[in-house]
Amino acid sequence: MLPKLLTSIFGSRNERLLKQYRRDVERINALETQFEALDDAALAAKTVEFRERHAAGTSLDELLPEAFAVVREGGKRVLKMRHFDVQLLGGMVLHAGKIAEMRTGEGKTLMATLPVYLNAIAGKGVHVVTVNDYLARRDAEWMGRLYNFLGLSVGVNTPQMARDEKQAAYRADVTYGTNNEFGFDYLRDNMVQDVEERVQRPLNYAIVDEVDSILIDEARTPLIISGQAEDHTELYVRINAVVPGLKKQIGEADPRTGEGVIEPGDFTVDEKTHQVYLTEAGHENAERLLTQAGLLVEGASLYDAGNITLMHHMYAALRAHHLYNRDQHYVVQQGERGLEVVIVDEFTGRLMTGRRWSDGLHQAVEAKEGVPIQSENQTLASITFQNYFRMYGKLSGMTGTADTEAYEFQEIYGLETVVIPPNRPTVRKDELDLVYKTEREKYDAVSRDIRDCHERGQPVLVGTTSIENSEKVSALLQQQGLPHQVLNAKQHEKEAQIVAQAGRPGVITIATNMAGRGTDIVLGGNVEKQVQFLEADEVLTPQEKASRAQRLQDEWQALHEQVKAAGGLRIIATERHESRRIDNQLRGRSGRQGDPGSSRFYLSLDDPLMRIFAGDRVRAIMDRLKMPEGEAIEAGIVTRSIESAQRKVEARNFDVRKQLLEYDDVSNDQRKVIYQQRNEILEAADLLPQINNLRTSTMTDIVRAYVPAESVEEQWDLDGLEKLLRDEWQLEVSLRSEVEHSDSMTDEDILERVVQAADRLFNEKLERVGVEQFMPFMRMILLQSIDQHWREHLAALDYLRQGIHLRGYAQKNPKQEYKREAFELFSQLLDTVKTDVTKVLMTVRVQSQEEALAAAEAAEQRNASFTNVTYHHPLEDGSVADEPQAATALASADDLPKVGRNDPCPCGSGKKYKHCHGKLS
């Protein structure tokens, strides 16, 4: 009661923020006439003036009114668009590092130019993050005209670009790109062997477009760069043949009474958690079938330590058969290497070409569909979007639907959500849901509504949640002879044209998902596209272009009025998505900029969401009311109960993401340490102090294992220590005879003798080769050791995480156990790197030029297994690394000329030494 009373007196936090920003809007509006009077050159010169003032100490906040006024004036001249006051508000929200919720069609792309320009003045780079490459290129080209006019450079970061092109894109004032590409570039930059190979600058400021899609929907799956691991192709095929012998159990046993099973079986499917579990009988049956197939030894159990992999594959195959459906979760289509399974993004309905599910699931689906199975991968580097985007100095985002997830944005990213009012009041009519008993009744009602709209000349957008359903609606409309366009993952190349004309009278468009489409549905059709084609026509004279453009505009005006009279755009949804946000995105396509419109959701008790969460209650109501066939329930209480089911799913998904983050935070802290060490090694002019510290520390550890600190002579094992130093470290130290000839030798003296002997051996090699020659080799060994052990550490953490939940049965907190063990593993990693590097540098043989070249060739062949690098999320993006990188051997001796980093390589390849034998795979 009290919070409501306080809000009514003081206004909500959102209202107070907007009130504060509106004062700045008045100041910007007051400057408009002053900037209108400037010519183009004087307006563009303002950028240089702002940069000079900022360098002299004026903050960006102080420059905001003038900078926004300059962008607004530039927009009027270059883009023929003037920023609305609400777009100025949104720009301030983004500059303040918050999320701006702005309805569809309110002009988010144009709004972003304001904070982008202001923050680009600082010269540290601004990243604009989009959901796909098409939008990144389109927005960079479209808004780039404005930035270029004002004297800013614009870059586009897309996959498969050459390194120098990427570096140029990142050096630009404004860089457009996708979330995946920014994340992969960060990981690749932390795998390079030379400072010059890096592409990114320090992460300064990012504006994330469709922020809910990127930071929430895609946050559950980490970005992974992987190399090929061992091949289990045959095992997938053999397990796939076993799965049909297992039967699904209908119903679930009550843990207290044991009742509830309608039809016993070998496994249960839990649709809520997207998991499959073998029953007790199922385990026995699976063991019998695997033994028959020759995969399990007679009498062995699936739970034996040696059969863990088999168990893993078994579950992957069951999930592939019973949870992943063709034309819903994936499609099978022709690729470069024949038929392949391509994932469909459940949030955008787009094909995710080149992506693969992890944990062997993708291979299991390939086996199920009988297409060629591609080999598994080993993780080389990984990061979640949550941790990547939290590294930016300032982060902000914009979307049409963020308010339902405001708590998560605040909790995980520290981002506040501000709802920006529309430029004109919304008059769209959102009707209550209609719930039918069966799917057939629902689709009959949907087709009746579509036919009615089509006959009245009202455009219709039909929203479905899967490709399968969009094709079902399409088939239904074909039977009735209704012309329509289908927009799903299979047709997404044509999406801009389809969406642009979806507002013409009587047009029917079926879409799987409307998130991040980036094109507005304008009532009467989008005339801008046709005008663009006219402008590009070189045959026509300027007068002809102007008259034709005017004619198109007049035609559009008539169509626009006709559609408005028919009720605007009608949204018909065939089911509810598990997230309210996705439903709101679909609704938001109608009623833009104060246009009329209406929306209605048609549901049936057979829909997944209804069946899992709300079906029984609604079915009971229908039975009680004795509703005849074809009759629907339309009641606020039903709509509310569906929304509460959606809230439950959203809450569960939030928990999943939060848990993923809590576990990933552990590896993230370790990742920061490793990447920082790598960068220090890459940037250090002199690595000797670091190498000397590692050697002293390693020798101390070795000596202390045989000669404990503050111990007496009887506790020393000098023979064992001498043997170890001789056999493994090529160090001849006669400790036994020294002790026998001395009366006062302590454990500290022994340690000092060993450290001095190790220093002597290392310095001899250093003198023979020369510090300048030896430095690249030391750098290479350090990086190689860190990278190799980091890869192994990531795999160890994966395995640890998969089984850690079982600690709960021992009354231990799995998260605490994970943190403790991950820390121990990390300590071991640092010790191993220290020992490895020291051993290589102590025992390396200095070679002649001929020997070095032969060793380089052998190393090249040895490292060929890591040339095939793929990127995934989690899901593996099949792009290959820029180039296979050869391993390096040390090529130097007294008779070998000294080779600088930038000198030609002595092997005769014609490349610089750092790009040939001075470089590591």
Side-chain angles (χ1 to χ4, degrees):
M1 190 70 196
L2 187 62
K4 276 188 181 175
L5 179 67
L6 291 173
T7 303
S8 66
I9 298 168
F10 299 110
S12 66
R13 162 88 178 150
N14 202 77
E15 286 163 4
R16 291 199 304 276
L17 279 172
L18 291 177
K19 192 175 177 183
Q20 182 185 323
Y21 294 143
R22 280 196 178 99
R23 292 192 199 113
D24 283 331
V25 170
E26 285 168 17
R27 290 166 66 197
I28 296 163
N29 289 341
L31 292 167
E32 190 161 9
T33 48
Q34 181 188 329
F35 286 126
E36 276 175 343
L38 299 176
D39 62 16
D40 288 359
L43 191 66
K46 282 284 177 188
T47 305
V48 181
E49 181 201 314
F50 293 152
R51 284 195 156 146
E52 287 167 357
R53 283 165 61 189
H54 182 60
T58 309
S59 72
L60 293 179
D61 290 346
E62 289 170 296
L63 289 172
L64 186 146
E66 288 174 76
F68 276 28
V70 165
V71 177
R72 179 191 261 183
E73 187 55 36
K76 278 154 56 178
R77 295 184 193 187
V78 180
L79 303 171
K80 307 287 183 277
M81 292 193 278
R82 179 184 179 277
H83 294 75
F84 298 133
D85 285 1
V86 290
Q87 286 171 312
L88 299 179
L89 289 174
M92 288 171 210
V93 169
L94 294 181
H95 171 65
K98 301 182 194 302
I99 289 173
E101 173 175 310
M102 208 162 181
R103 289 199 181 143
T104 303
E106 293 288 317
K108 289 187 282 291
T109 312
L110 184 65
M111 168 184 79
T113 56
L114 299 157
V116 166
Y117 174 79
L118 176 60
N119 285 272
I121 286 167
K124 295 177 185 171
V126 176
H127 292 175
V128 184
V129 187
T130 63
V131 285
N132 59 46
D133 293 328
Y134 160 72
L135 286 179
R137 276 191 286 264
R138 186 204 73 171
D139 292 356
E141 192 182 318
W142 186 19
M143 297 298 140
R145 286 159 41 207
L146 173 57
Y147 298 130
N148 292 336
F149 171 76
L150 293 171
L152 297 182
S153 54
V154 180
V156 189
N157 175 30
T158 56
Q160 313 298 320
M161 278 169 79
R163 185 184 297 124
D164 55 346
E165 290 175 2
K166 268 191 181 289
Q167 286 170 334
Y170 277 110
R171 276 198 299 269
D173 294 313
V174 186
T175 310
Y176 282 84
T178 64
N179 46 325
N180 286 350
E181 205 51 29
F182 283 123
F184 282 136
D185 283 338
Y186 169 74
L187 292 176
R188 281 188 289 251
D189 274 359
N190 285 289
M191 293 169 75
V192 300
Q193 307 302 320
D194 192 322
V195 177
E196 291 175 24
E197 291 172 14
R198 286 195 206 138
V199 295
Q200 283 189 345
R201 295 195 274 171
L203 303 176
N204 171 45
Y205 174 50
I207 295 179
V208 183
D209 193 7
E210 302 298 344
V211 66
D212 50 340
S213 177
I214 291 173
L215 295 191
I216 288 185
D217 297 338
E218 297 198 37
R220 273 184 289 184
T221 48
L223 287 170
I224 299 170
I225 295 184
S226 65
Q228 245 166 358
E230 54 192 307
D231 196 1
H232 290 144
T233 309
E234 192 199 348
L235 185 56
Y236 287 108
V237 177
R238 291 172 70 185
I239 295 253
N240 188 61
V242 169
V243 166
L246 297 171
K247 188 177 158 209
K248 180 179 171 182
Q249 176 173 296
I250 311 291
E252 213 167 318
D254 186 306
R256 287 164 301 184
T257 61
E259 294 169 0
V261 176
I262 300 160
E263 206 178 298
D266 299 311
F267 62 90
T268 59
V269 176
D270 187 340
E271 290 185 80
K272 285 186 190 179
T273 59
H274 222 54
Q275 287 296 339
V276 175
Y277 302 101
L278 283 173
T279 61
E280 213 165 312
H283 275 290
E284 291 170 20
N285 200 10
E287 283 168 1
R288 182 179 57 76
L289 291 168
L290 289 168
T291 308
Q292 285 172 7
L295 291 167
L296 199 62
V297 183
E298 188 77 51
S301 161
L302 260 177
Y303 283 114
D304 289 348
N307 297 327
I308 297 263
T309 331
L310 210 54
M311 188 76 177
H312 176 77
H313 286 302
M314 191 77 201
Y315 273 121
L318 281 167
R319 288 178 71 204
H321 275 265
H322 298 281
L323 283 167
Y324 287 82
N325 307 319
R326 188 170 175 164
D327 281 347
Q328 183 185 352
H329 300 103
Y330 64 89
V331 294
V332 176
Q333 66 175 36
Q334 195 66 32
E336 287 173 20
R337 289 175 283 189
L339 284 176
E340 56 184 27
V341 169
V342 183
I343 299 169
V344 173
D345 185 336
E346 62 172 309
F347 299 105
T348 64
R350 287 193 172 85
L351 289 185
M352 303 171 84
T353 313
R355 300 290 179 74
R356 297 175 64 74
W357 284 303
S358 55
D359 286 339
L361 175 62
H362 208 100
Q363 288 85 349
V365 173
E366 286 169 333
K368 164 189 160 186
E369 292 293 344
V371 305
I373 297 173
Q374 293 168 30
S375 52
E376 291 178 69
N377 289 305
Q378 174 196 348
T379 301
L380 306 182
S382 158
I383 194 167
T384 57
F385 281 132
Q386 287 139 319
N387 277 320
Y388 173 70
F389 281 110
R390 291 196 302 182
M391 287 190 293
Y392 277 90
K394 181 160 77 175
L395 179 66
S396 61
M398 52 190 188
T399 177
T401 44
D403 206 31
T404 54
E405 316 289 346
Y407 176 72
E408 180 164 353
F409 282 126
Q410 185 69 56
E411 185 83 354
I412 288 181
Y413 302 98
L415 289 173
E416 186 177 4
T417 302
V418 181
V419 181
I420 309 291
N423 185 43
R424 293 186 186 145
T426 306
V427 293
R428 184 186 68 238
K429 187 179 170 200
D430 295 327
E431 297 166 8
L432 290 173
D433 299 1
L434 286 180
V435 185
Y436 291 85
K437 213 165 191 175
T438 65
E439 201 176 70
R440 186 182 54 77
E441 293 171 46
K442 172 180 83 174
Y443 281 117
D444 286 347
V446 165
S447 60
R448 280 197 303 275
D449 195 344
I450 294 172
R451 173 175 287 285
D452 172 56
C453 293
H454 180 68
E455 286 169 353
R456 289 187 295 101
Q458 184 176 13
V460 185
L461 178 66
V462 185
T464 65
T465 55
S466 69
I467 296 177
E468 190 183 20
N469 286 351
S470 69
E471 290 180 347
K472 201 180 276 182
V473 176
S474 175
L476 206 67
L477 297 183
Q478 274 168 359
Q479 285 169 15
Q480 300 190 17
L482 290 170
H484 60 278
Q485 292 275 13
V486 182
L487 179 63
N488 62 25
K490 292 181 177 177
Q491 279 94 358
H492 79 103
E493 289 85 0
K494 299 185 294 185
E495 69 174 51
Q497 294 102 298
I498 294 175
V499 175
Q501 301 312 324
R504 293 176 77 84
V507 168
I508 303 168
T509 312
I510 303 169
T512 37
N513 205 302
M514 290 308 293
R517 293 285 176 199
T519 309
D520 278 344
I521 297 178
V522 181
L523 300 190
N526 196 332
V527 82
E528 273 178 35
K529 285 265 180 284
Q530 293 157 298
V531 172
Q532 279 170 14
F533 291 132
L534 268 182
E535 294 291 336
D537 195 334
E538 291 170 11
V539 182
L540 298 174
T541 65
Q543 289 82 7
E544 286 175 319
K545 285 181 185 177
S547 70
R548 289 195 185 186
Q550 188 56 51
R551 195 158 62 245
L552 282 171
Q553 195 66 40
D554 294 343
E555 282 172 16
W556 173 80
Q557 194 60 46
L559 292 173
H560 181 71
E561 294 305 327
Q562 184 185 335
V563 171
K564 276 176 80 171
L569 180 67
R570 170 76 165 166
I571 303 285
I572 295 174
T574 60
E575 61 186 278
R576 285 243 185 201
H577 198 277
E578 63 176 35
S579 161
R580 287 171 297 158
R581 206 163 25 84
I582 309 281
D583 291 342
N584 292 341
Q585 280 168 358
L586 177 63
R587 274 200 168 125
R589 291 282 152 186
S590 174
R592 61 181 286 286
Q593 291 290 342
D595 284 340
S598 61
S599 71
R600 166 91 82 180
F601 281 75
Y602 287 87
L603 315 174
S604 82
L605 299 185
D606 298 331
D607 295 348
L609 189 82
M610 294 291 289
R611 194 181 68 246
I612 298 168
F613 290 100
D616 295 341
R617 286 164 63 194
V618 180
R619 197 181 293 277
I621 295 170
M622 285 184 154
D623 290 343
R624 237 187 342 263
L625 296 171
K626 296 189 172 59
M627 292 183 65
E629 192 177 323
E631 196 76 25
I633 282 189
E634 178 183 9
I637 188 169
V638 175
T639 302
R640 283 195 296 277
S641 91
I642 294 163
E643 283 185 356
S644 101
Q646 288 174 307
R647 277 197 194 91
K648 282 180 203 160
V649 182
E650 286 165 9
R652 192 196 74 221
N653 288 343
F654 171 53
D655 287 341
V656 169
R657 289 188 289 266
K658 196 155 186 246
Q659 193 137 337
L660 171 85
L661 187 65
E662 283 170 352
Y663 280 110
D664 191 61
D665 276 346
V666 176
S667 55
N668 192 51
D669 293 340
Q670 298 176 357
R671 185 189 300 115
K672 282 178 184 167
V673 172
I674 288 290
Y675 286 176
Q676 187 186 345
Q677 285 195 352
R678 270 191 115 264
N679 289 333
E680 283 169 5
I681 292 164
L682 280 171
E683 290 161 12
D686 182 10
L687 289 168
L688 279 176
Q690 206 167 342
I691 296 292
N692 293 341
N693 287 340
L694 291 179
R695 190 171 58 253
T696 304
S697 178
T698 305
M699 290 299 126
T700 305
D701 291 348
I702 292 167
V703 170
R704 288 304 178 213
Y706 292 87
V707 181
E710 298 178 4
S711 58
V712 291
E713 197 176 320
E714 286 72 21
Q715 294 172 284
W716 299 350
D717 178 5
L718 295 177
D719 295 334
L721 179 56
E722 280 184 20
K723 185 176 184 307
L724 177 83
L725 292 171
R726 186 171 54 249
D727 295 351
E728 287 197 26
W729 297 86
Q730 296 178 9
L731 268 182
E732 291 289 347
V733 193
S734 50
L735 297 169
R736 168 66 63 196
S737 63
E738 278 198 46
V739 169
E740 283 170 359
H741 290 99
S742 167
D743 300 331
S744 59
M745 230 177 155
T746 65
D747 60 277
E748 286 294 331
D749 296 330
I750 289 175
L751 174 59
E752 195 179 330
R753 295 280 191 289
V754 173
V755 169
Q756 283 170 351
D759 289 351
R760 225 177 5 256
L761 179 68
F762 178 73
N763 289 330
E764 280 169 17
K765 288 184 181 169
L766 208 56
E767 281 167 25
R768 252 193 99 187
V769 178
V771 176
E772 194 186 322
Q773 293 287 74
F774 210 58
M775 197 66 73
F777 181 67
M778 290 192 289
R779 182 173 280 117
M780 177 193 96
I781 294 301
L782 272 166
L783 293 175
Q784 192 174 37
S785 182
I786 286 174
D787 290 350
Q788 182 194 337
H789 293 297
W790 176 243
R791 284 198 293 267
E792 289 166 6
H793 180 69
L794 285 174
L797 287 182
D798 276 349
Y799 288 127
L800 175 65
R801 189 140 116 201
Q802 281 168 21
I804 203 77
H805 64 277
L806 298 170
R807 306 285 174 93
Y809 292 115
Q811 306 300 312
K812 290 180 177 175
N813 181 334
K815 272 180 219 150
Q816 291 306 324
E817 288 290 295
Y818 179 75
K819 282 178 183 172
R820 186 179 57 76
E821 292 207 17
F823 179 73
E824 284 172 18
L825 286 170
F826 190 63
S827 302
Q828 286 169 22
L829 170 134
L830 296 176
D831 286 343
T832 313
V833 168
K834 179 176 72 180
T835 311
D836 267 14
V837 170
T838 306
K839 185 172 281 185
V840 170
L841 294 178
M842 296 262 298
T843 58
V844 67
R845 210 174 84 241
V846 176
Q847 301 173 325
S848 70
Q849 188 171 8
E850 290 74 24
E851 289 173 313
L853 292 176
E857 282 174 27
E860 240 174 85
Q861 290 164 357
R862 231 185 7 259
N863 278 279
S865 61
F866 272 115
T867 57
N868 195 9
V869 177
T870 57
Y871 308 102
H872 47 274
H873 166 222
L875 316 171
E876 302 148 17
D877 176 331
S879 40
V880 180
D882 292 343
E883 54 182 296
Q885 298 175 327
T888 313
L890 174 66
S892 52
D894 291 344
D895 58 341
L896 187 67
K898 288 189 176 181
V899 186
R901 297 284 290 140
N902 291 306
D903 294 342
C905 189
C907 76
S909 67
K911 295 181 179 178
K912 286 183 181 179
Y913 176 69
K914 66 180 177 187
H915 292 315
C916 190
H917 282 94
K919 167 172 137 177
L920 164 77
S921 164

